[in-house]
Amino acid sequence: MFCFQCEQTSRTDGIAGCHTAKGVCGKDETTADLQDVLIYQLKGLGQYSARLHKLGQLDQAADSFIMYGLFTTLTNVNFNRAVFQELIAEAARIRDRLRDAYEAAAVKAGKVPGQLSGPARFAPADSLPGLLAQAQIASVRAGVEVVGEDVVGLRSLILYGLKGVAAYAHHAEVLGQAREEIYAGIAHALDFLATEPVDINALLEEALALGRLNFTVMEALDAANTGNFGAPVPTAVRTTPVAGKAILVSGHDLRDLHNILEATKDKGINVYTHGEVLPAHGYPKLHAYPHLVGNYGGAWQNQQAEFAAFPGPIVMTSNCLIEPQPSYRNRIFTAGPVGWPGIRHIKNDDYAQVVQAALASPGFAETAPEQTILVGFARDTVLGVAGTVVDAVKSGAIKHFFLIGGCDGAAPGRNYYTDFADHAPKDSVVLTLGCGKYRFNKHDFGTIGGLPRLLDIGQCNDTYSAIQIALALANAFECGVNDLPLSLVVSWFEQKAAAVLLTLLALGVRNVRLGPSLPAFLTPALLNVLVEKFGVLPVTTAEADIAASLNRQAA
């Protein structure tokens, strides 16, 4: 086992990466190795799919499987080794289908089919011991002694960014936004990785291409969310309980939340959001459900205590699952790509067991005094008052914007983001997205120019909104994004954040502050490239970074 794809990775024994019997996230060695084998297979599927796309043929079921398979390997998503054995077997069957389709399509086009090698020819063993024996060739560090740490680091940046792209694309696909250019782009990236590239410049260009692809994916996801549920609007969200039976929905997936709301209509069950589902309250068609009563708890890393205290069933819809504790193991459910051994999984959108569990649970005995937080400041809302914002900047009422985005986590150092938000000057606006906002979204930031100083854009899935706001402001001021009084402070945790970072770099956004610790797969040489070529800035202290941001703008 070796894994260093997320911020919580072990950095002990002089090795940056989880390499013992169990990762920090709770993933055991067997599951980690099976995930590596699946990723190796998906590269093979990508080899055939990429060629089919070039020949004008689409196997949407295969491309959808590729995205889903990548998603299951994200940090804190699926820990069930049996699921990965099934996916590995299914990947082999799909590979054979794609191979036959490619060869037929090539002949039809008057071409000689290429004889592919590497992952495209991989034959998985038919037993668990056999699969584990094959995992060595699929390790992210395979061949490091030949190609070196820098090449392995850049390959890893592309792979992990690709996992984030696939996750966002899956969220969009289940809501009806399936696009061939996205399928083709993901297949191309897998095909590229299957060649085991060693050229640093080619790897960097591929990383930027992946960032550009992710921008398309984020646009599709935005269209999926707003097309299904309306454009978010400012909404006060209750954060204290209401008496009655209750279900808690965590993760990211708005489709699952909508399905649960439908399944619980008129059943006397209140639905609460948790973690990254909080922004759902700003979507008009979701907010219209009267039994979507509020948000419970905070960011993902606190779930074990919060889930234990919640008096009803919990549904985990996407990444951010931590090992379920005995106190709630019998009332937590997983959905979509998520899984844990022994935990009930929702299939075919059948939430009957969740409803039954809610009706059998005590629920909240009484209603607590109401407290609220404000969400729903996505691009339509902010751009709707763009004139006011521009006037406030020109008059000097607003002197700077700080976008504090990204994931929260349990590792030391994340108080940096609280300090940054709290110490941002009173004549600045703080934009936020991602669950890192839970560290400060209940603080009183007051108002500025008739607007709240803290504007919650949404979850990490809403990055497109943040980018569109920045582009619109740049257009209003007739300047580039890098010339705006805007500073980006990104707390990375897992692979979705890697995809977002690549998008920002591909768009030419500079001076992105990244922390609290840097990815373990970024070698000193690669970090120097990001600093010198793209202006990436490792975080220091909140006070120093705020001062540097303001000084840069003044200069």
Side-chain angles (χ1 to χ4, degrees):
M1 171 181 177
F2 184 87
C3 182
F4 58 179
Q5 69 177 6
C6 75
E7 191 264 346
Q8 65 189 330
T9 193
S10 173
R11 298 172 190 259
T12 59
D13 304 324
I15 300 175
C18 294
H19 57 95
T20 57
K22 193 172 186 178
V24 175
C25 70
K27 180 170 60 178
D28 63 48
E29 184 176 15
T30 296
T31 303
D33 287 346
L34 291 174
Q35 288 184 0
D36 287 346
V37 171
L38 176 61
I39 290 296
Y40 192 72
Q41 286 183 287
L42 294 177
K43 292 177 184 177
L45 269 61
Q47 288 176 275
Y48 284 115
S49 180
R51 285 160 177 78
L52 277 170
H53 280 287
K54 290 178 181 177
L55 290 168
Q57 295 218 10
L58 170 68
D59 186 327
Q60 186 169 346
D63 287 322
S64 182
F65 175 86
I66 288 171
M67 292 194 317
Y68 182 86
L70 286 166
F71 198 166
T72 63
T73 69
L74 261 72
T75 300
N76 293 95
V77 174
N78 202 304
F79 300 78
N80 193 338
R81 65 178 66 172
V83 168
F84 289 103
Q85 287 183 266
E86 293 171 2
L87 290 173
I88 286 168
E90 180 64 14
R93 291 189 288 270
I94 293 174
R95 186 273 314 274
D96 291 346
R97 186 177 83 225
L98 289 175
R99 180 195 59 217
D100 294 345
Y102 161 62
E103 291 175 353
V107 171
K108 185 177 181 180
K111 301 177 182 295
V112 177
Q115 296 301 307
L116 305 185
S117 59
R121 296 180 63 86
F122 175 73
D126 58 5
S127 68
L128 179 59
L131 289 171
L132 297 180
Q134 293 176 318
Q136 186 175 356
I137 66 169
S139 170
V140 71
R141 288 179 57 77
V144 65
E145 64 280 354
V146 175
V147 302
E149 298 286 353
D150 294 342
V151 167
V152 167
L154 264 179
R155 289 179 185 172
S156 299
L157 175 60
I158 294 169
L159 173 60
Y160 300 151
L162 180 60
K163 289 186 180 188
V165 170
Y168 286 135
H170 175 77
H171 284 303
E173 182 189 53
V174 298
L175 284 172
Q177 281 287 332
R179 302 185 183 181
E180 184 173 359
E181 64 180 309
I182 294 173
Y183 291 141
I186 291 173
H188 165 79
L190 286 167
D191 181 38
F192 175 80
L193 289 172
T195 67
E196 298 184 348
V198 296
D199 182 84
I200 294 294
N201 289 328
L203 284 159
L204 282 172
E205 180 50 44
E206 189 64 29
L208 294 179
L210 188 60
R212 291 188 288 271
L213 173 65
N214 191 54
F215 186 69
T216 298
V217 172
M218 298 302 297
E219 186 275 325
L221 178 54
D222 180 87
N225 288 338
T226 58
N228 281 277
F229 307 119
V233 296
T235 305
V237 181
R238 186 185 183 103
T239 59
T240 49
V242 175
K245 305 290 186 177
I247 292 174
L248 187 63
V249 183
S250 191
H252 297 74
D253 202 281
L254 299 185
R255 176 181 175 274
D256 281 323
L257 174 63
H258 174 261
N259 288 345
I260 290 168
L261 290 168
E262 278 291 308
T264 51
K265 274 196 312 188
D266 305 320
K267 287 186 169 58
I269 300 172
N270 292 324
V271 177
Y272 295 80
T273 56
H274 176 272
E276 287 270 55
V277 197
L278 166 64
H281 294 269
Y283 288 89
K285 291 185 180 179
L286 295 175
H287 182 68
Y289 288 91
H291 60 300
L292 179 62
V293 297
N295 188 75
Y296 177 89
W300 68 273
Q301 75 273 10
N302 301 318
Q303 69 184 248
Q304 289 178 326
E306 292 170 352
F307 290 0
F310 188 79
I314 304 107
V315 180
M316 180 60 72
T317 68
S318 69
N319 45 316
C320 297
L321 176 66
I322 303 177
E323 180 175 3
Q325 297 301 292
S327 59
Y328 59 88
R329 280 183 69 94
N330 65 342
R331 53 184 174 87
I332 185 171
F333 298 80
T334 58
V338 192
W340 191 279
I343 298 302
R344 286 175 289 181
H345 188 77
I346 295 165
K347 297 180 180 179
N348 302 317
D349 296 331
D350 184 357
Y351 300 91
Q353 290 186 81
V354 181
V355 173
Q356 292 169 6
L359 294 173
S361 298
F364 288 104
E366 56 185 32
T367 299
E370 184 176 17
Q371 298 176 20
T372 63
I373 51 179
L374 199 58
V375 303
F377 288 92
R379 74 177 194 281
D380 283 5
T381 295
V382 176
L383 297 183
V385 294
T388 302
V389 173
V390 170
D391 289 343
V393 173
K394 289 181 177 178
S395 71
I398 297 176
K399 287 191 167 60
H400 206 83
F401 298 88
F402 293 101
L403 173 59
I404 305 176
C407 317
D408 205 354
R414 289 184 177 270
N415 58 307
Y416 166 92
Y417 300 95
T418 309
D419 293 342
F420 200 106
D422 287 344
H423 288 88
K426 301 299 183 184
D427 54 7
S428 67
V429 173
V430 177
L431 307 167
T432 186
L433 75 164
C435 65
K437 62 174 167 275
Y438 278 110
R439 289 186 173 262
F440 51 81
N441 66 349
K442 292 183 180 179
H443 297 189
D444 183 7
F445 289 88
T447 60
I448 185 171
L451 297 170
R453 274 194 62 232
L454 178 66
L455 301 178
D456 186 346
I457 299 173
Q459 58 179 225
C460 68
N461 290 17
D462 297 310
T463 300
Y464 183 77
S465 259
I467 293 173
Q468 289 303 309
I469 290 169
L471 293 174
L473 288 175
N475 182 63
F477 287 107
E478 299 181 344
C479 66
V481 170
N482 294 317
D483 299 315
L484 287 171
L486 169 67
S487 300
L488 282 72
V489 187
V490 177
S491 59
W492 90 283
F493 179 78
E494 42 78 50
Q495 297 77 66
K496 286 181 177 178
V500 170
L501 176 63
L502 292 178
T503 295
L504 294 175
L505 300 185
L507 292 174
V509 179
R510 297 183 61 83
N511 303 305
V512 177
R513 298 188 184 276
L514 184 66
S517 58
L518 296 175
F521 50 83
L522 288 183
T523 64
L526 294 179
L527 178 59
N528 285 339
V529 170
L530 294 183
V531 171
E532 295 173 6
K533 187 176 179 67
F534 303 105
V536 172
L537 302 169
V539 302
T540 59
T541 66
E543 292 83 355
D545 289 346
I546 289 171
S549 297
L550 298 176
N551 290 336
R552 181 184 67 84
Q553 186 60 39

